[in-house]
Amino acid sequence: MIYIDDPTLLEDALERFKSSPWASVDTEADSLHHYVEKLCLLQISIPAKDFVIDPLASLDLKPLMTVLEKKPLIFHGADFDLRLLKKHYDFTPASIFDTMIAAQILGYEKQGLADLAHRHCQVVLPKGAQKADWSKRPLDETLLAYAANDTHYLKIIAEIMTEEL
């Protein structure tokens, strides 16, 4: 996992994102802890690499949004993420696959990301950080690993579910 809180690191990652055929995306916000929510983390996975990007580090994410808008994107429960990205960056993706909606269509009894990761990837994702205050810095390794896992398995899950659909 690569943590990005510096413009140079973001620039390097942007080149990787441009050449990637797809991206898995998730966000973390502080809406449980603050009245006016803000985007606190943006997680992106591409083939063989996971990134956790820190928007609170005064990074210009507009070039990243421009790249992501053109890619096929994979989300889990995209509604909140898309509203947040639209609000802050006027983000409109060209193509998305939402594993939560796919699980609903397929009639899965358990539709959470941890449930899908266990079902399709045989991994147990920890849930302990679900209600963390993502606006607090520095973020410890446990929170960063939790955040990276939110996108790490989405491509595998989406491929299996696409076959099932």
Side-chain angles (χ1 to χ4, degrees), residues 49-62:
K49 198 58 76 176
D50 303 312
F51 299 86
V52 177
I53 301 168
D54 188 349
L56 300 181
S58 300
L59 300 173
D60 179 11
L61 297 183
K62 198 63 178 155

Side-chain angles (χ1 to χ4, degrees), residues 15-111:
E15 291 308 311
R16 293 183 188 200
F17 298 146
K18 285 178 183 175
S19 63
S20 176
W22 56 268
S24 297
V25 180
D26 189 41
T27 64
E28 303 297 342
D30 59 357
S31 55
L32 290 175
H33 302 276
H34 301 276
Y35 181 69
V36 178
E37 73 186 1
K38 59 188 167 297
L39 178 64
C40 297
L41 282 183
L42 177 63
Q43 303 98 276
I44 301 173
S45 292
I46 58 174
K49 198 58 76 176
D50 303 312
F51 299 86
V52 177
I53 301 168
D54 188 349
L56 300 181
S58 300
L59 300 173
D60 179 11
L61 297 183
K62 198 63 178 155
L64 172 60
M65 295 300 140
T66 301
V67 169
L68 291 178
E69 283 181 329
K70 300 172 187 167
K71 300 265 175 221
L73 302 177
I74 306 163
F75 288 87
H76 180 80
D79 56 338
F80 177 79
D81 302 313
L82 291 175
R83 282 195 308 268
L84 197 59
L85 294 172
K86 182 70 169 177
K87 175 182 174 183
H88 292 283
Y89 299 101
D90 196 30
F91 179 77
T92 305
S95 169
I96 69 165
F97 183 95
D98 188 324
T99 57
M100 179 178 272
I101 291 174
Q104 292 168 353
I105 292 168
L106 289 165
Y108 286 11
E109 185 176 322
K110 296 181 178 182
Q111 302 169 357

Side-chain angles (χ1 to χ4, degrees), residues 130-144:
Q130 283 179 326
K131 297 186 180 187
D133 184 348
W134 294 99
S135 67
K136 290 187 177 179
R137 297 295 183 272
L139 295 168
D140 66 34
E141 288 301 317
T142 303
L143 289 177
L144 291 173

